[in-house]
Amino acid sequence: SVEAAPDRPLAGRHVLVTAGPTQEPIDPVRVIANRSSGKQGFAIAAAAAQAGARVTLVAGPVSLPTPGGVVRVDIETAEQMAAAVEAALPADVAIMVAAVADWKVDAAPAKLKKAAGPPQLRFSANPDILAMVGSHVERPQLLVGFAAETDELVAHAQSKRVAKGADWIVANDVSGDVMGAADNHVVLVTADGAEDWGPMPKTEVASALIGRIAGLLGKD
Ligand code: CTP
Ligand code: CA
C-alpha cells in the first residue's frame, strides 16, 4: 500500500464526488432544474485533491471553476450522472453531494408551442445513484451521502443512510437560506449517531469532512 505523507493523507486513493444539480429536459429547449449551486461538492473535491487523492468530480450544470488537480466530468441529466458515476468506479471513497432530480419528464422531441396551451408533463422515477453505488459490486470502502432536510433532520438522514446502504449521511439543514450560500449547517449521521457541526463555511465543512475521511482511511 501507499505510504501517505502527513500533508497528503489521501495519496494513492481515488475519491469520487458528485456535485451540483441535474437538469431534466422537457423539450429540446426547456429543462426542470433545482437551486443547487455546486459549491459544497466542489469544495469537497478541492479538499480531497489537496489531501493528495486522485479525484473524479461528476458535475451537473454549475458556474464554478474546476478545482486544481481534479478530473471533472460534466453531465446534465440524472441518468447521465448515474452512467458517469458507474464509469468512474472503482473508488476508495464516494461522496454524493449532487442534488439529483428525483424525476425525469417524458420529453417532447420538438419544442412545445405556447399556442397548444400548458403541457401536461408526465414524470417517471430517476435512478437513485447513491443507492446504486451502495449495492454495487464495486462499492467504495466509504460511501457518504448528503441529505437536505427542512425538518426531522437526523431521523430522515438516518433512514436514508440505512435505505441507501451509505456509511455516513451529511445532513444539511435547509430550513434557512442555504442554497447558493457560502455557509452550511450540517450534522454528520453515522451508525454511531449524530454529530452537530454547527453553522460553518462550506469550505470548512469540506476540510472537516476530508479530514475525518483521511483519519479513517489512514488506519489501514
Ligand atoms: N441521490 C441520488 N440519486 C437520486 C436522488 C438522491 O444519488 N436520484 C443522493 C443524493 O446525492 C444525496 C442522497 O441521495 O447524497 C440524498 O438525497 P435526497 O434528495 O435527500 O434523498 P431522496 O432519497 O431523494 O429523498 P427526498 O428527496 O424525498 O427527501
Ligand atoms: Ca431527492
Side-chain angles (χ1 to χ4, degrees):
S1 94
V2 180
E3 194 58 45
D7 58 332
R8 297 179 67 79
L10 294 180
R13 306 288 191 170
H14 181 208
V15 176
L16 170 60
V17 181
T18 69
T22 63
Q23 288 185 349
E24 303 299 326
I26 294 171
D27 71 12
V29 298
R30 301 182 178 97
V31 298
I32 291 182
N34 65 65
R35 296 188 192 278
S36 170
S37 67
K39 280 178 190 164
Q40 184 65 81
F42 273 57
I44 288 168
Q50 258 161 25
R54 174 166 79 83
V55 180
T56 305
L57 173 60
V58 179
V62 294
S63 306
L64 293 172
T66 307
V70 166
V71 174
R72 174 173 175 178
V73 180
D74 285 317
I75 55 79
E76 291 174 352
T77 68
E79 283 177 344
Q80 290 165 358
M81 181 172 276
V85 162
E86 198 157 30
L89 295 175
D92 299 290
V93 181
I95 311 169
M96 317 304 258
V97 196
V100 183
D102 292 323
W103 306 289
K104 64 182 171 185
V105 178
D106 286 350
K111 185 184 170 188
L112 297 169
K113 298 303 284 179
K114 183 168 60 179
Q120 301 285 321
L121 300 181
R122 290 182 65 91
F123 289 88
S124 57
N126 265 329
D128 190 310
I129 303 166
L130 177 59
M132 173 195 85
V133 173
S135 62
H136 201 277
V137 285
E138 293 184 297
R139 184 192 188 280
Q141 179 185 339
L142 183 70
L143 178 58
V144 183
F146 268 66
E149 308 287 354
T150 55
D151 59 295
E152 305 276 1
L153 186 73
V154 173
H156 283 144
Q158 201 55 274
S159 41
K160 282 176 186 174
R161 192 185 71 79
V162 174
K164 294 167 189 261
D167 298 300
W168 300 348
I169 294 283
V170 181
N172 198 353
D173 186 348
V174 291
S175 54
D177 199 7
V178 73
M179 303 306 268
D183 280 24
N184 222 349
H185 181 172
V186 304
V187 177
L188 180 67
V189 174
T190 73
D192 298 331
E195 220 176 89
D196 193 334
W197 288 5
M200 59 171 91
K202 289 178 178 176
T203 50
E204 276 178 33
V205 171
S207 45
L209 183 64
I210 291 301
R212 180 65 79 93
I213 291 169
L216 188 75
L217 268 63
K219 286 188 205 137
D220 51 49

